Amino acid sequence: MYRLLIVDDEPVIVNGLVLLFQDNTEFELEVCKAYSAKEALEMARKMKLDILVSDIRMPQMSGLQLVDEINYYWPHCRSILLTGYSEFDYVHEALRKKVDNYILKTEGIELIFEAVQRSIAKLDEENRRRIQEEKAKLHLEIAVPLLKQELLRKMTGGEDLLHLLCQPRYEEVHFRIVPEQPAFFLIGRTTLNEMDRASELRQAVQRSFLNYLPPSFQCECSVMQDDVLFWMLQPGAELLGRFRGENVTNGAHWNSITMYMKGILELVQNECEELLGVAVSFGISDNLEGSWDIAGQQYEKLHSLLKARAALGQTMIIVDLGRVNPYEENMYEYGRMEQDEMKLFVVDQIQRYVNEHLSGDVSLTAIAEEVHFNPSYLSRFYKQAAGHNLLEYIQTKRLEGAIRLMQDTNLKLNEIATRVGFDSPSYFTTFFKKKMGVSPQEYRNTQA
């Protein structure tokens, strides 16, 4: 499923387009929205974006500038610009930036639908091309330098990387990770049904990850014992600077880096499932700068968490060690739960999160972050476990909350809309009328 982001500084336009896309059964899209370029960039740092539909004239940052910024994080994202003005300079600049389309708002929704459909077709073609290239490489073996593999295995076994790199045995090794700077590692576990092709498929997963990893990261990779895939990663100075600029504390700054990495891992998981038929789960360590002596402990903890979840039938997991609490670790200890109990436990986690955050962020990405799932996998898992769509549950809770507040309080309708997660009163009115057949005010009048 592709993710479409609609950006305009006029909420009525954004909300109208969101509704039109959601009601159009020709599209299978997760539709997101932003009311400013700044808000759109915040979303780009938290989730992968496939298609951008943006107003070209906005305060602080134009649609053309926004295209440049989003392409930094998601180079494959297709862009469509909307404007109320037919100006040649804008058209020329849009074409120079390889924007897919430039549409006057007065030309109507059908042209926007057609432009998005063409962008989807281009994304499909790019995916087919990448898959064909990957198929051509599947028979090739990736040679892993033996000394680097040995070095990384010793580190995950508990030895301090700083001490290892000082040993004469490794002095000729060109190790791309600088221990004195922020760095972290990932581990990956796969569910493989074709054991005779296990090594080949793991190599394909490695290639998929490296294909999606931006040049803003340095990387060393290996395969550990138990066939665990391993990547040591270090964000570059420019990437660190971009995230530091908007975060005051080191913790918030590092959390932003982690969120960005989760968006990349989502892409890898989706491609591996589609291309290889392989489910991949990932574990993300903390920042190891100044803590290389505990890298082995973090590796063992992540390894145990992924093994426990695999034993409970969970696939396409993304476990962030910085967000794992002791209670959660205890619940997932081997043998503590059966698969059916685990499903009920996770569904309860999801529903409790939705109920507690109804006025805030209940996107697939936010909920997936809470339960350490790939967003696409979360949607499938919830439907299978609960028997209904997650979006249906969220909409039901918003409707129930709105009705309860209308019946039990004297809050204004725009205040009620905000409390149940609608940042636009008109959007709330449209949603309520679609569900109940009457407007919120008409419903309240009948309750008087």
Side-chain angles (χ1 to χ4, degrees), residues 73-271:
Y73 299 104
W74 309 112
H76 299 291
C77 183
R78 316 299 307 190
S79 300
I80 298 163
L81 294 177
L82 307 178
T83 183
Y85 309 88
S86 180
E87 299 183 13
F88 177 79
D89 287 345
Y90 277 145
V91 178
H92 178 74
E93 182 69 8
L95 292 174
R96 190 180 67 80
K97 292 180 181 293
K98 298 182 181 178
V99 170
D100 281 357
N101 224 310
Y102 177 94
I103 301 172
L104 293 174
K105 293 178 182 178
T106 54
E107 293 181 293
I109 188 62
E110 289 304 321
L111 277 182
I112 298 175
F113 280 163
E114 290 173 12
V116 170
Q117 196 67 63
R118 285 195 292 271
S119 291
I120 290 173
K122 289 179 181 177
L123 288 169
D124 287 341
E125 180 57 31
E126 288 177 359
N127 287 335
R128 281 193 293 271
R129 176 178 50 77
R130 281 196 293 270
I131 287 170
Q132 288 171 354
E133 290 174 354
E134 284 305 305
K135 285 180 177 178
K137 295 174 184 176
L138 276 176
H139 68 282
L140 296 176
E141 291 185 358
I142 298 177
V144 180
L146 294 179
L147 281 175
K148 283 189 179 181
Q149 186 178 55
E150 179 184 271
L151 182 82
L152 292 171
R153 286 189 174 183
K154 285 184 176 181
M155 185 198 75
T156 56
E159 297 188 46
D160 190 327
L161 179 66
L162 286 165
H163 295 159
L164 288 169
L165 289 175
C166 292
Q167 294 178 12
R169 180 176 178 79
Y170 303 113
E171 64 184 9
E172 298 299 324
V173 172
H174 175 60
F175 199 65
R176 286 187 285 263
I177 307 302
V178 180
E180 294 78 18
Q181 296 175 12
F184 62 104
F185 66 78
L186 303 175
I187 65 171
R189 284 179 57 89
T190 57
T191 55
L192 300 174
N193 297 321
E194 303 176 70
M195 296 310 296
D196 57 328
R197 297 180 61 223
S199 176
E200 186 180 9
L201 290 170
R202 285 192 198 93
Q203 290 174 12
V205 173
Q206 285 273 27
R207 284 198 299 273
S208 177
F209 176 83
L210 294 174
N211 284 343
Y212 280 113
L213 186 69
S216 49
F217 285 92
Q218 289 289 347
C219 177
E220 295 286 0
C221 56
S222 184
V223 179
M224 299 297 164
Q225 294 173 351
D226 294 336
D227 297 319
V228 174
L229 299 172
F230 182 89
W231 299 268
M232 178 67 70
L233 296 163
Q234 189 158 63
E238 182 185 354
L239 184 64
L240 286 170
R242 281 174 172 253
F243 283 107
R244 277 200 186 105
E246 298 190 3
N247 295 289
V248 177
T249 66
N250 287 333
H253 147 253
W254 192 256
N255 184 57
S256 297
I257 295 283
T258 305
M259 289 295 297
Y260 178 39
M261 178 53 61
K262 287 177 185 176
I264 295 168
L265 296 180
E266 182 186 348
L267 282 168
V268 177
Q269 287 177 320
N270 293 345
E271 181 174 284

Side-chain angles (χ1 to χ4, degrees), residues 195-395:
M195 296 310 296
D196 57 328
R197 297 180 61 223
S199 176
E200 186 180 9
L201 290 170
R202 285 192 198 93
Q203 290 174 12
V205 173
Q206 285 273 27
R207 284 198 299 273
S208 177
F209 176 83
L210 294 174
N211 284 343
Y212 280 113
L213 186 69
S216 49
F217 285 92
Q218 289 289 347
C219 177
E220 295 286 0
C221 56
S222 184
V223 179
M224 299 297 164
Q225 294 173 351
D226 294 336
D227 297 319
V228 174
L229 299 172
F230 182 89
W231 299 268
M232 178 67 70
L233 296 163
Q234 189 158 63
E238 182 185 354
L239 184 64
L240 286 170
R242 281 174 172 253
F243 283 107
R244 277 200 186 105
E246 298 190 3
N247 295 289
V248 177
T249 66
N250 287 333
H253 147 253
W254 192 256
N255 184 57
S256 297
I257 295 283
T258 305
M259 289 295 297
Y260 178 39
M261 178 53 61
K262 287 177 185 176
I264 295 168
L265 296 180
E266 182 186 348
L267 282 168
V268 177
Q269 287 177 320
N270 293 345
E271 181 174 284
C272 288
E273 184 183 43
E274 180 183 349
L275 168 63
L276 307 172
V278 173
V280 187
S281 289
F282 291 103
I284 307 176
S285 80
D286 292 330
N287 180 6
L288 293 168
E289 181 186 13
S291 304
W292 291 102
D293 56 326
I294 63 168
Q297 297 171 28
Q298 295 201 13
Y299 176 86
E300 289 302 323
K301 185 176 287 188
L302 283 171
H303 192 196
S304 296
L305 284 168
L306 292 188
K307 281 181 69 175
R309 290 196 169 221
L312 290 169
Q314 293 184 3
T315 58
M316 294 178 71
I317 306 301
I318 303 178
V319 175
D320 174 5
L321 197 55
R323 289 182 59 87
V324 174
N325 58 60
Y327 169 75
E328 184 178 5
E329 283 188 69
N330 292 336
M331 288 300 295
Y332 279 100
E333 276 183 12
Y334 185 77
R336 287 289 296 270
M337 284 191 295
E338 300 293 333
Q339 285 199 22
D340 289 342
E341 290 178 287
M342 176 277 300
K343 287 180 181 178
L344 292 175
F345 172 70
V346 176
V347 168
D348 180 66
Q349 269 189 299
I350 293 168
Q351 292 180 345
R352 187 166 63 250
Y353 179 88
V354 170
N355 295 335
E356 292 174 356
H357 297 81
L358 206 56
S359 62
D361 187 0
V362 289
S363 65
L364 275 179
T365 300
I367 301 170
E369 170 81 358
E370 181 70 13
V371 294
H372 307 293
F373 278 14
N374 169 293
S376 300
Y377 174 66
L378 167 71
S379 182
R380 297 199 304 271
F381 177 93
Y382 183 87
K383 185 173 182 179
Q384 179 190 37
H388 54 264
N389 290 327
L390 181 53
L391 178 60
E392 291 174 5
Y393 179 80
I394 294 170
Q395 290 183 339

